[in-house]
Amino acid sequence: MVMQVRAAHTRQALIAAAAEVFADEGYVRASLPLICKRAGVSSGALHFHFASKDALAREVEGAAVDVAEKLVQRCRAAAASALESMVDTTSALVLAMASDPVVRAGFRLSGDPSRKGGAELFQWWRGSVRELVARARDAGELAQDVSPEDAAAVIMAATVGFETLAGWDEKWLSVERAERFWALVLPRLAASPELIPDGASPGAGGGPP
């Protein structure tokens, strides 16, 4: 039992260290020796749990999906409307990118063109956004002349873009940035002004983007 607990702790330490390194360096520049050093374990311990860097990256992506799924569930449970759930989920995800290395690494790994067969988090987020938009449409909250597919594409592109731009300026990953995005986009998506949640109305956030 002690050995199993120790092995589980080692595995989690490797996932956490790998997330930090992948988030900071990207997939190509991340090295297994650096991950081992960050985790405080030997290379033998790493290879006992993960056969390759790609296997470790996939584990980090999977962990990122788990964190993001729980975040979506919490936002949905707390929201009073489908549109509010959409806004809250996006804002919470942007904050998670800034504060949680696992989520940040998951998005960076998903968007890395050097990896083949990845993009697990991108695929999950695209499906989640489509579901959020569909719920808004079914609830009569989406403007009739708005294509659900177009709305999902805009939201997907914006959130992924925030993470990419944060590599240049960390301020892109902030609640204020998300609020400014929604202040611009939501009036076009909402069936009526009364459906726009507080904090996402035109002029919210103020100042230049």
Side-chain angles (χ1 to χ4, degrees):
M1 180 63 71
V2 173
M3 292 290 290
Q4 291 177 344
V5 171
R6 185 178 301 170
H9 286 169
T10 298
R11 185 180 182 86
Q12 289 305 312
L14 284 166
I15 293 172
E20 292 176 359
V21 175
F22 285 136
D24 292 342
E25 305 292 338
Y27 181 76
V28 173
R29 293 179 59 188
S31 70
L32 295 182
L34 178 57
I35 292 172
C36 288
K37 182 178 180 181
R38 188 76 63 93
V41 304
S42 66
S43 60
L46 185 150
H47 288 292
F48 174 80
H49 291 281
F50 302 102
S52 64
K53 184 167 74 171
D54 183 63
L56 184 52
R58 290 179 183 276
E59 188 72 17
V60 170
E61 263 200 288
V65 171
D66 290 342
V67 173
E69 281 182 338
K70 292 176 182 177
L71 183 152
V72 169
Q73 291 169 4
R74 289 197 301 270
C75 290
R76 180 178 296 179
S81 68
L83 284 180
E84 184 176 329
S85 177
M86 189 187 304
V87 172
D88 291 349
T89 298
T90 306
S91 299
L93 190 63
V94 168
L95 274 186
M97 290 181 198
S99 62
D100 191 331
V102 171
V103 176
R104 180 76 178 273
F107 271 93
R108 186 160 189 184
L109 288 168
S110 286
D112 194 321
S114 67
R115 295 181 63 231
K116 295 182 179 180
E120 180 181 353
L121 189 55
F122 276 8
Q123 292 169 5
W124 169 84
W125 179 233
R126 180 174 62 179
S128 296
V129 170
R130 285 175 170 173
E131 182 182 355
L132 288 167
V133 173
R135 288 180 66 240
R137 177 200 59 203
D138 295 344
E141 298 175 19
L142 196 68
Q144 291 186 356
D145 62 342
V146 170
S147 160
E149 189 65 27
D150 289 347
V154 168
I155 298 168
M156 175 74 179
T159 48
V160 172
F162 288 156
E163 192 283 323
T164 300
L165 289 166
W168 164 65
D169 183 353
E170 293 183 355
K171 292 180 181 179
W172 280 95
L173 297 180
S174 66
V175 171
E176 181 184 14
R177 188 70 63 177
E179 287 178 347
R180 290 177 180 177
F181 165 75
W182 282 115
L184 179 67
V185 173
L186 200 54
R188 179 67 182 90
L189 299 184
S192 67
E194 292 76 17
L195 292 171
I196 299 176
D198 293 339
S201 58

